[in-house]
Amino acid sequence: LEYGRAPGGGLAPLRVATVVLSAQHSEDVSNDKIAADLMEHVVKPVVPVELLDERTVYHLNPSGRFVIGGPHSDAGMTGRKSGADSYGGWGRDGSGSFSGKDATKPDRGGSYAARWVAKSLVANGYCGRCLVQLSYAIGLSHPMSVHVETYGTCRGKNGKGEADLAALVEDSFDLKPGAIVRELDLRRPIMRKTAAYGHFGREEEEFKWEQVKEF
């Protein structure tokens, strides 16, 4: 995606520059048929037509045949990398993974909390866009650091400049791992839905980290 500045200081998608899509398939299906079906049944229904233009490049099963997939062809010791489950290459992440770990681990619970905080800061009018960074250490209950980056979109609400937002977050949110589990109710059996389609940006009732906190 190519982005441009949106009203209010945030970013808005301008166009889709490249579509890269790979799908496992039967050995009896030709590459041309797979490419045609991916375009017709995936790209066209999913990608807004106004974001596509004559310069959009499509890579549909670019590696060629993809008959063998799943754990047979690719397995690891942990879940998917956090980048794949969160913001892709757009948001910074600390590696590790969400899947395969329970919510007491800051890799998962802390990432959910950071999403909750960032979404709440924007929704409450403190900034147009932001990234929240939380750092934890084994054996310490409180975050080692809380950092808020607004990319120049801080709106000065209630006299709060960008340098004040980290303290505001610490005053408004309990970011200890145990408190995160309690506040977001992460011991419920809700994680199956996170096994596909990402953990963020989905309005699922169970995903309390997507529900804005007023402060």
Side-chain angles (χ1 to χ4, degrees):
L1 281 169
E2 293 181 1
Y3 289 86
R5 188 68 66 184
L11 294 179
L14 298 178
R15 61 179 295 270
V16 173
T18 308
V19 176
V20 180
L21 182 60
S22 295
Q24 188 179 355
H25 56 82
S26 165
E27 60 183 343
D28 300 321
V29 182
S30 70
N31 288 358
D32 288 344
K33 174 63 173 172
I34 287 292
D37 284 351
L38 288 175
M39 178 65 75
E40 187 65 28
H41 300 293
V42 181
V43 176
K44 289 182 179 179
V46 171
V47 182
V49 65
E50 64 270 17
L51 296 181
L52 300 173
D53 57 35
E54 68 278 1
R55 294 181 294 144
T56 300
V57 177
Y58 300 90
H59 296 293
L60 306 177
N61 271 28
S63 64
R65 306 298 287 166
F66 186 8
V67 175
I68 299 175
H72 187 185
S73 64
D74 189 7
M77 293 298 291
T78 186
R80 288 184 299 275
K81 293 180 179 179
S82 54
D85 270 339
S86 57
Y87 311 102
W90 183 255
R92 306 168 194 169
D93 68 81
S95 189
S97 70
F98 307 151
S99 304
K101 296 183 179 180
D102 66 73
T104 65
K105 306 299 187 293
D107 303 54
R108 189 167 203 159
S111 295
Y112 291 170
R115 168 68 178 183
W116 184 37
V117 171
K119 188 170 183 177
S120 297
L121 282 169
V122 173
N124 280 282
Y126 288 97
C127 53
R129 171 189 172 205
C130 79
L131 177 146
V132 174
Q133 180 191 58
L134 306 176
S135 299
Y136 291 89
I138 295 173
L140 299 179
S141 59
H142 289 80
M144 294 290 291
S145 70
V146 176
H147 176 70
V148 178
E149 167 65 60
T150 70
Y151 304 96
T153 69
C154 182
R155 293 172 179 162
K157 180 179 178 180
N158 297 333
K160 302 293 185 182
E162 181 157 333
D164 305 312
L165 293 182
L168 175 65
V169 167
E170 293 188 83
D171 289 340
S172 305
F173 295 84
D174 190 342
L175 296 174
K176 298 189 297 293
I180 293 169
V181 171
R182 181 181 67 250
E183 291 292 323
L184 299 181
D185 203 5
L186 296 177
R187 292 197 183 277
R188 294 167 297 150
I190 63 171
M191 299 306 182
R192 178 174 291 181
K193 284 189 175 181
T194 69
Y197 309 116
H199 296 231
F200 304 133
R202 300 169 57 191
E203 299 300 327
E204 300 284 352
E205 182 180 357
E206 300 92 335
F207 293 5
K208 294 185 71 173
W209 54 89
E210 295 291 339
Q211 298 173 15
V212 170
K213 178 178 180 177
E214 303 293 335
F215 65 98

